[in-house]
Amino acid sequence: MVTASQVIGANMFADFFAGLSDIFGGTSGAYRDRLELLCEDARNQLSQNAEDLGANAIVGFRIDFDEISGKGMSMFMVSCVGTAVVIEPDRYEIYEKLHNLNTYLKDGLLTQEQYDFERKQIQENSENFLANDVKRHAQKVEEERILKEKTEASLDKERKRRAQLSEEELRKEDVIAAKSENIWMLSAEEIQKARLPYTLKGKTMDDVIINLLADDKFNEAGKYYMEQTGADSESAYEYIYNMFFPEN
């Protein structure tokens, strides 16, 4: 944040109107010009303050006008405030400037001395940007490499884990992953009302429940669990729900 202010005696403005009967005549222009000069001085001071901090731009610029009075004195103050920032040029903007310089030199619009000076200025102003740009690109490439390595390692670990599972366990995982978004269909009340199909597929209780879930029969799976274990509908709900979202 940078600030700047300019103060002037309020009586100085009154002098513009002394002895005049119509303040909206020619003197209003002088009054306006004086205000513009005061604002320009404040802006220039703000720009210098920002430049002293190493900034090349100001954002969020605001200008205020205030009257300060006390002890028989009256002052008029113009204040400027803004945020000093460093704006880095786009690499293609730099290339365009260098291209234009070459064109001006070939067309005879610049002498060799002028060309060398301007080129040096552009290069000095862009060195930090280009260095930072290269650094950012290298950092991005490194981050992508690390992410790729971690992803491949995770996939390899998952492949090895699944290779140790039985066919039934793999099917259970796949059904749970595919049907988890439909868990909203499950409720203790609907489990209580559910009716089981005449034909059930599976050799074990888990096989039957997984096959029912694969067909989106969530509440029927809960009903089957109730009949096999003697649990109530609330317990059956928790059992099916925990298959999808295990408790830690």
Side-chain angles (χ1 to χ4, degrees):
M1 182 75 71
V2 287
T3 61
S5 59
Q6 291 290 327
V7 180
I8 192 172
N11 289 335
M12 183 169 292
F13 290 109
D15 291 342
F16 285 118
F17 309 112
L20 297 176
S21 59
D22 184 7
I23 64 172
F24 297 101
T27 314
S28 61
Y31 180 78
R32 183 185 65 249
D33 291 344
R34 183 57 182 168
L35 279 176
E36 289 179 353
L37 287 174
L38 200 61
C39 291
E40 184 178 354
D41 288 342
R43 285 196 297 267
N44 290 340
Q45 182 183 340
L46 189 72
S47 297
Q48 185 60 53
N49 292 345
E51 187 176 335
D52 291 342
L53 294 175
N56 61 7
I58 297 173
V59 296
F61 174 81
R62 188 176 75 249
I63 186 167
D64 294 315
F65 300 88
D66 298 291
E67 183 179 356
I68 305 172
S69 59
K71 295 183 180 180
M73 299 180 62
S74 182
M75 307 290 286
F76 192 76
M77 181 172 71
V78 177
S79 302
C80 295
V81 62
T83 301
V85 298
V86 176
I87 297 179
E88 296 179 337
D90 181 86
R91 60 167 57 246
Y92 295 104
E93 180 182 340
I94 298 172
Y95 298 155
E96 183 180 4
K97 288 181 178 180
L98 292 174
H99 172 75
N100 290 339
L101 272 183
N102 286 323
T103 302
Y104 298 154
L105 179 64
K106 291 178 181 178
D107 293 345
L109 299 177
L110 292 175
T111 65
Q112 185 64 47
E113 182 180 359
Q114 291 171 328
Y115 170 82
D116 292 339
F117 174 79
E118 294 294 339
R119 180 182 176 84
K120 182 179 179 181
Q121 290 292 108
I122 294 174
Q123 289 176 331
E124 288 179 353
N125 292 334
S126 61
E127 274 180 2
N128 290 335
F129 165 72
L130 292 176
N132 290 335
D133 194 41
V134 171
K135 183 178 179 181
R136 283 193 297 267
H137 178 70
Q139 183 177 0
K140 181 179 179 181
V141 171
E142 179 64 11
E143 289 173 352
E144 290 176 350
R145 183 190 66 79
I146 294 174
L147 178 61
K148 183 178 179 180
E149 285 184 355
K150 288 183 177 180
T151 302
E152 290 177 350
S154 297
L155 290 174
D156 185 57
K157 183 178 179 181
E158 178 64 10
R159 282 192 293 266
K160 291 179 180 179
R161 185 190 69 81
R162 286 177 64 87
Q164 298 175 356
L165 299 179
S166 65
E167 185 177 343
E168 292 76 15
E169 290 172 327
L170 288 172
R171 174 166 167 74
K172 180 179 179 180
E173 282 197 356
D174 293 340
V175 169
I176 294 299
K179 298 297 181 177
S180 60
E181 63 182 19
N182 295 333
I183 192 66
W184 61 269
M185 301 169 64
L186 181 69
S187 75
E189 183 179 351
E190 292 301 321
I191 288 175
Q192 190 68 44
K193 297 177 183 178
R195 296 192 177 202
L196 294 175
Y198 290 110
T199 304
L200 296 172
K201 297 179 292 183
K203 298 178 180 180
T204 65
M205 183 181 74
D206 281 348
D207 288 344
V208 174
I209 289 177
I210 289 299
N211 286 325
L212 288 170
L213 293 175
D215 294 333
D216 288 326
K217 297 183 183 299
F218 287 79
N219 296 305
E220 288 81 353
K223 186 73 170 185
Y224 180 75
Y225 177 80
M226 286 177 61
E227 293 188 356
Q228 293 297 307
T229 63
D232 58 21
S233 60
E234 291 291 342
S235 298
Y237 171 87
E238 291 180 6
Y239 178 81
I240 300 300
Y241 185 86
N242 288 335
M243 290 178 67
F244 289 87
F245 306 103
E247 295 181 352
N248 295 329

